[in-house]
Amino acid sequence: MMRAASSWFASRAPREQLLLQIGAVVALLAALWFGWQAANSYRTGAAADLASAMQLRDDVARLRATPTTGAGQVTPAASDGTPRGAASAIATQFGLSPSRIEPDGPSGIRISFEPASARSVYGWIDAVERAGFSVNRITIVRAGEGDLVQGDASLSAGRT
């Protein structure tokens, strides 16, 4: 195969050989450039993923190191017993501001919170479940510096 390619190349005129060599060099440089760009993009994405994971690890370690107040020290919130009433009352107890509350199925609600402390959102989840409701889905997204998050949850009456 190499011999055939070599003899084919040797049979070209000197001007064609020069053009083929220049074309090969340009193609090699283009392949190296685009390969470097792709590798740099993957490296940058991996570095961002690593930084995010390390931040999350540090947040979890900080939350674990923070002394807890004890499970029984949170007083139950006064509510009408419905998922909407309990979620609203407990949110008020933890200093959360619901931005949206809407029905989710026959006996559940979907609630979204304004940006607040992650500790408050996690405390709200714990208190809602202690009140006898089931949190079926929760989405927590970092909303700023520190532990500021925006939460969105679905809960229903009774345990699942």
Side-chain angles (χ1 to χ4, degrees):
M1 172 88 177
M2 278 305 277
R3 184 171 287 183
S6 179
S7 68
W8 176 83
F9 184 76
S11 69
R12 302 288 118 201
R15 186 173 182 183
E16 290 176 329
Q17 288 180 357
L18 179 63
L19 287 173
L20 287 170
Q21 289 171 344
I22 291 172
V25 167
V26 168
L28 178 65
L29 289 175
L32 288 174
W33 174 258
F34 288 115
W36 179 79
Q37 289 289 337
N40 192 38
S41 172
Y42 290 131
R43 183 194 60 78
T44 303
D49 290 346
L50 177 63
S52 177
M54 291 173 68
Q55 179 67 40
L56 182 62
R57 181 198 62 195
D58 294 344
D59 289 348
V60 169
R62 189 184 76 245
L63 288 173
R64 279 189 182 154
T66 304
T68 59
T69 58
Q73 292 184 355
V74 175
T75 58
S79 73
D80 59 2
T82 64
R84 177 185 284 278
S88 298
I90 294 171
T92 303
Q93 183 181 12
F94 282 92
L96 298 172
S97 300
S99 61
R100 186 182 74 216
I101 301 176
E102 58 189 33
D104 187 30
S107 65
I109 63 159
R110 173 182 255 154
I111 184 169
S112 297
F113 298 110
E114 295 291 330
S117 165
R119 177 176 283 288
S120 298
V121 175
Y122 294 136
W124 177 85
I125 295 168
D126 183 51
V128 163
E129 289 189 339
R130 287 181 190 280
F133 297 95
S134 176
V135 177
N136 303 322
R137 186 186 59 79
I138 183 85
T139 304
I140 298 175
V141 180
R142 186 181 298 269
E145 294 297 319
D147 71 340
L148 195 63
V149 297
Q150 187 169 1
D152 182 39
S154 293
L155 64 121
S156 61
R159 303 257 182 224
T160 57

